Amino acid sequence: MKISDLIAKERRRQQETLMMIPSENYTYPEVRRAVGSVLMHKYSEGYAHRRYYQGNEIIDKIEDLAVENAKKLFGVPYANVQPYSGSPANATVYFALLQPGDKIMGLKLSGGGHLTHGHPNITFSGKYFQSTQYDVEPDGRIDYEKLEKLARTENPKLIVAGTTAYPRILDWKKFAKIADSVGAILMADIAHIAGLVAGGSHPSPVSYVHIVTTTTHKTLRGPRGAMIMITEKGLKLDEKMGEKIDKAIFPGLQGGPHNNTTAGIAITLEKSMGKTFASYAKAIVSNAKELADELLKYGFNLATGGTDNHLMVVDVRPFGIDGKTFAIALEKAGIIVNFNTIPHDPNPPFRPSGIRLGTPAVTARGMGKPQMKQIGKWILEVAKNYSNEKKLKSIKLQVKSLCKKFPVDLA
Ligand SMILES: *Cc1c(COP(=O)(O)O)cnc(C)c1O
């Protein structure tokens, strides 16, 4: 089969199913055009107005715009838009501000942290740095007093505050107090919630932390990419922090920036400034709350008992199934989620007790509370009929007809 046919098939899949993996989203048609544009032909190692290649007059303007938009949107004095993605952005921060073997402290993967937050043995963050990790409590929440004790005993050089499967507001103030009391650099990784922060639906970490990393493709709805931002507080701690980050990206870790992505980021950030985006962010959260309420009503257990943001971690054991079996059944019904560990999961990560689902993409299609109620009902039906292929197929048809009423521009 030709790639063009496969792309057409994938476009149809995205149009006709419910994208409920909380890290996924539909970007804007303008962004897709920018990312697929001639900008990808250009090499521009270095930074705007100080490149190692000629012919970058226009690229410089594009990167300047992306940086300016980032500073304006998040209220920071420094931004670098060149990281290829979220994981390289985090790597850059560690390599810029730490020495190999220095100690970092982040949230455990199984508690909702990210691989790059010091996951032991198999990641660069756990191999090239000493890592000590905090966990969530059995109820799914971070215990900040416990975190403080661990920080005092372990004395990490850098603390990561940020999550990939945590349904509650992060208390930046408490993180800051802890980091300051042990003299650690505090990094907020807002990859998942950047859109909520930009839209005013999650508190911003900017006045509390030294450094912020984020992806641009999750709630922010941009192209796959990432940014590193330094706050006033960060520059106060180390006025050379910006220079160190720039150098760690290039020549430290990367070669030429992906200028097509940079343009997509510039467009995305501009779109994130207005009232329309703020309403979108608000709707993501109210949709998530609505769906969480429905699932609780139907007898699912939710980590922390609900959600304050765009996602929920659902324990599906009350229905006598595991998360993987359930995720596969949901896919057959046109509802796309990922299986996920629940806090202190007794089951292994490849067959955990839960699923993770979120509302950024369905909200981008314009769906609201009535649709969340309907989706909740379907999720219940799938749980009760997970091995009934005929039933799953009939739900898939109903999902398809709902999607038809909320089309998304995928041209
Ligand atoms: C998604 C994510 C990343 C990594 O992003 P990639 O673009 O997949 O490398 C890093 N940190 C957090 C918290 C994330 O959710």
Side-chain angles (χ1 to χ4, degrees):
M1 197 180 276
K2 286 213 295 264
I3 292 290
S4 57
D5 296 334
L6 292 170
I7 293 174
K9 272 186 193 292
E10 173 63 9
R11 182 181 296 115
R12 199 159 92 205
R13 188 193 68 79
Q14 292 187 17
Q15 189 66 266
E16 295 180 350
T17 58
L18 294 168
M19 183 190 271
M20 300 202 75
I21 293 170
S23 48
E24 294 182 359
N25 212 334
Y26 302 103
T27 192
Y28 310 96
E30 300 95 299
V31 170
R32 270 197 305 280
R33 280 194 289 277
V35 171
S37 74
V38 295
L39 297 175
M40 79 172 74
H41 301 155
K42 188 71 197 112
Y43 244 103
S44 39
E45 280 180 357
Y47 289 93
H49 317 290
R50 42 192 173 107
R51 306 281 187 187
Y52 290 84
Y53 290 78
Q54 295 316 116
N56 276 304
E57 193 187 335
I58 296 157
I59 299 298
D60 282 357
K61 291 200 167 101
I62 290 171
E63 190 169 325
D64 277 344
L65 249 177
V67 168
E68 281 317 305
N69 287 351
K71 288 186 193 170
K72 197 166 143 195
L73 180 64
F74 289 98
V76 290
Y78 164 95
N80 188 311
V81 298
Q82 292 194 4
Y84 295 147
S85 213
S87 302
N90 288 348
T92 300
V93 172
Y94 305 157
F95 286 126
L97 307 181
L98 306 174
Q99 292 302 317
D102 280 352
K103 197 182 275 178
I104 59 173
M105 179 170 139
L107 177 60
K108 270 190 183 167
L109 184 67
S110 57
H114 191 261
L115 283 163
T116 54
H117 297 176
H119 189 64
N121 306 323
I122 56 165
T123 75
F124 81 91
S125 64
K127 254 183 158 159
Y128 297 101
F129 299 92
Q130 258 191 81
S131 161
T132 182
Q133 296 200 288
Y134 54 99
D135 200 356
V136 294
E137 294 306 293
D139 71 355
R141 291 189 191 250
I142 294 169
D143 178 337
Y144 290 91
E145 277 175 32
K146 241 187 187 169
L147 203 157
E148 180 165 12
K149 274 192 200 125
L150 187 66
R152 283 182 192 285
T153 343
E154 295 285 340
N155 235 330
K157 190 128 186 246
L158 182 145
I159 296 176
V160 185
T163 61
T164 198
Y166 188 69
R168 295 296 175 180
I169 301 283
L170 289 171
D171 193 331
W172 306 121
K173 205 172 175 175
K174 285 188 180 154
F175 271 111
K177 202 178 136 245
I178 294 164
D180 291 345
S181 77
V182 299
I185 300 168
L186 182 57
M187 170 179 124
D189 177 355
I190 60 168
H192 259 260
I193 55 170
L196 303 183
V197 170
S201 282
H202 187 294
S204 168
V206 164
S207 47
Y208 299 103
V209 309
H210 300 108
I211 193 154
V212 180
T213 61
T214 184
T215 58
T216 48
H217 49 273
K218 298 180 183 176
T219 48
L220 212 46
R221 288 192 72 180
R224 281 204 119 79
M227 310 193 293
I228 299 172
M229 296 174 280
I230 297 174
T231 64
E232 298 285 356
K233 183 172 167 178
L235 289 183
K236 211 179 257 172
L237 181 74
D238 178 358
E239 59 176 16
K240 291 231 163 18
M241 212 180 254
E243 265 167 66
K244 287 178 183 170
I245 293 294
D246 284 351
K247 277 193 188 143
I249 292 203
F250 176 83
L253 215 62
Q254 296 189 171
H258 296 177
N259 302 306
N260 50 331
T261 301
T262 305
I265 291 174
I267 296 170
T268 300
L269 295 172
E270 192 175 325
K271 282 181 176 291
S272 308
M273 288 177 197
K275 276 192 187 139
T276 315
F277 191 82
S279 318
Y280 166 62
K282 208 169 164 185
I284 292 176
V285 176
S286 65
N287 278 342
K289 280 191 196 298
E290 182 76 14
L291 183 57
D293 286 348
E294 293 298 299
L295 295 179
L296 285 169
K297 193 174 84 189
Y298 293 141
F300 290 94
N301 288 331
L302 265 58
T304 77
T307 180
D308 294 327
N309 60 20
H310 62 300
L311 69 79
M312 56 213 84
V313 176
V314 186
D315 176 358
V316 300
R317 290 174 303 171
F319 291 86
I321 39 177
D322 64 84
K324 187 167 180 181
T325 307
F326 193 41
I328 292 169
L330 282 167
E331 181 176 8
K332 288 179 183 162
I335 301 170
I336 312 301
V337 306
N338 66 274
F339 57 86
N340 211 95
T341 50
I342 58 165
H344 300 260
D345 204 327
N347 291 313
F350 52 87
R351 198 169 278 284
S353 305
I355 59 163
R356 182 184 69 150
L357 75 166
T359 52
V362 292
T363 308
R365 299 182 80 134
M367 291 184 186
K369 287 187 179 172
Q371 290 72 46
M372 297 308 117
K373 277 197 162 44
Q374 179 60 65
I375 292 170
K377 251 185 219 146
W378 284 327
I379 291 175
L380 173 68
E381 276 182 53
V382 172
K384 284 179 169 169
N385 300 281
Y386 66 91
S387 58
N388 181 342
E389 300 286 335
K390 218 173 124 202
K391 181 80 184 169
L392 299 177
K393 210 168 184 181
S394 106
I395 298 172
K396 186 171 185 170
L397 288 175
Q398 296 171 59
V399 165
K400 188 172 159 184
S401 95
L402 176 70
C403 288
K404 220 171 181 170
K405 289 188 197 128
F406 292 88
V408 53
D409 185 350
L410 297 178

